[in-house]
């Protein structure tokens, strides 16, 4: 069964827009797991425009499933990770100015840096996943730098899916097959939704985990958090519903 990790960044963004602690990020994470989510993802950025450093520390004792911290491995984030020791760290090649993640690593060009970071995170007891584009060569390279998993950057799939689902998913299946052949676990995330998630799961049934934030939180505004998580979990069943 593919695990559902809920990214609560958008909850923090909404809180920060008004100040105070409404909505409560920690309580929302607790409810997500209570309603069936398998874990929680956060992506703290240097400007703290959504998830803050304090949120990461506050969430650690509350998250009962898998806690996944994603982001660019700058020294400040690495120190937080070593303090908190999440179950998984997802390395993302974001600059501080980016609105959201929009590409994967060129692993070969950053091999020395990533090898050192992966080793440091493993020493802290974390599973390490590397965010990659749909390119089998990147999966091979991820194994060489010591990663445990790769996370497929799925926005290109989501964009093409309404027009041509099979063509949209083809490079992702090829990359997933390469990851499996070299012994890597497989995650996916970015722009996954109730409209495209079940199709992706059917084409890549061995997916370990999906991380979903924006679409899930938006859906929860009209359906409620409990019902929304139930729908997303249904998408991840072997014959999950395509909405």
């Amino acid at each position: 069964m593919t695990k559902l990790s809920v990214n609560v960044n958008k909850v923090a963004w909404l809180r920060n827009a008004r100040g105070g602690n409404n909505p409560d990020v920690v309580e929302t994470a607790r409810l997500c797991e209570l309603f069936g989510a398998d874990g929680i993802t956060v992506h703290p950025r240097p400007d703290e425009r959504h998830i803050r450093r304090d949120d990461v520390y506050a969430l650690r004792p509350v998250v009962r499933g898998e806690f996944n911290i994603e982001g660019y491995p700058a020294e400040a984030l690495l120190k937080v990770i070593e303090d908190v020791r999440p179950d998984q760290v997802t390395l993302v090649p974001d600059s501080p100015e980016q609105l959201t993640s929009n590409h994967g690593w060129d692993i070969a060009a950053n091999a020395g840096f990533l090898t050192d970071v992966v080793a440091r995170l493993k020493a802290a007891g974390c599973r390490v996943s590397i965010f990659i584009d749909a390119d089998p060569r990147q999966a091979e390279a991820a194994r060489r730098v010591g990663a445990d998993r790769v996370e497929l950057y799925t926005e290109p799939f989501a964009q093409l899916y309404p027009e041509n689902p099979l063509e949209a998913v083809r490079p992702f299946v090829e990359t997933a097959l390469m990851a499996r052949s070299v012994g890597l676990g497989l995650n996916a995330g970015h722009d996954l939704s109730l409209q495209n998630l079940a199709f992706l799961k059917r084409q890549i049934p061995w997916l370990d985990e999906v991380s979903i934030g924006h679409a899930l939180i938006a859906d929860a505004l009209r359906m409620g958090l409990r019902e929304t998580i139930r729908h997303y979990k249904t998408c991840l069943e072997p014959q999950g519903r395509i909405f």
Side-chain angles (χ1 to χ4, degrees):
M1 187 68 182
T2 302
K3 292 183 177 180
L4 171 65
S5 184
V6 176
N7 187 319
V8 294
N9 276 27
K10 280 299 186 295
V11 179
W13 175 83
L14 182 60
R15 175 201 61 192
N16 295 353
R18 190 66 180 266
N21 193 38
N22 185 27
D24 186 326
V25 173
V26 174
E27 175 65 7
T28 302
R30 188 190 69 80
L31 289 173
C32 285
E33 292 193 307
L34 179 66
F35 297 154
D38 301 293
I40 299 297
T41 290
V42 294
H43 186 152
R45 294 177 182 272
D47 61 6
E48 296 193 324
R49 62 180 179 261
H50 33 60
I51 289 293
R52 300 169 180 157
R53 176 188 176 102
D54 288 348
D55 293 326
V56 179
Y57 287 95
L59 283 164
R60 173 70 280 188
V62 173
V63 176
R64 300 304 181 194
E66 182 173 281
F67 191 30
N68 173 46
I69 298 178
E70 61 182 28
Y72 183 82
E75 184 62 28
L77 181 60
L78 290 173
K79 288 180 177 177
V80 171
I81 290 168
E82 288 173 331
D83 285 345
V84 172
R85 296 180 180 258
D87 303 281
Q88 178 174 266
V89 178
T90 302
L91 303 178
V92 182
D94 283 358
S95 70
E97 298 79 20
Q98 282 182 231
L99 180 64
T100 187
S101 305
N102 60 16
H103 62 89
W105 286 93
D106 180 345
I107 297 177
N110 296 276
F113 172 66
L114 288 172
T115 298
D116 291 345
V117 168
V118 169
R120 179 172 171 179
L121 293 171
K122 285 188 171 185
C126 304
R127 180 199 310 131
V128 182
S129 179
I130 297 181
F131 196 64
I132 66 168
D133 297 318
D135 181 345
R137 295 171 300 178
Q138 298 299 336
E140 283 188 295
R143 167 51 74 193
R144 290 197 293 273
V145 299
D148 303 295
R149 293 186 183 182
V150 290
E151 178 173 329
L152 300 175
Y153 167 55
T154 47
E155 183 178 5
F157 159 74
Q159 290 179 336
L160 185 56
Y161 173 80
E163 176 185 341
N164 191 334
L166 288 174
E167 182 60 24
V169 83
R170 179 186 55 78
F172 293 88
V173 173
E174 291 173 354
T175 307
L177 287 167
M178 176 59 74
R180 185 169 66 172
S181 75
V182 298
L184 290 173
L186 186 68
N187 300 339
H190 209 92
D191 280 6
L192 296 177
S193 69
L194 291 176
Q195 287 68 50
N196 58 40
L197 181 58
F199 181 82
L200 181 71
K201 166 68 176 180
R202 290 181 185 181
Q203 303 305 309
I204 312 174
W206 62 93
L207 269 172
D208 290 300
E209 176 185 296
V210 293
S211 174
I212 304 177
H214 182 87
L216 190 151
I217 298 303
D219 289 334
L221 293 176
R222 60 187 176 85
M223 291 192 293
L225 193 56
R226 184 193 301 268
E227 189 70 2
T228 297
I229 289 175
R230 185 180 71 81
H231 282 334
Y232 275 89
K233 293 283 287 185
T234 297
C235 289
L236 295 172
E237 294 173 356
Q239 296 300 320
R241 175 185 173 190
I242 296 177
F243 287 79

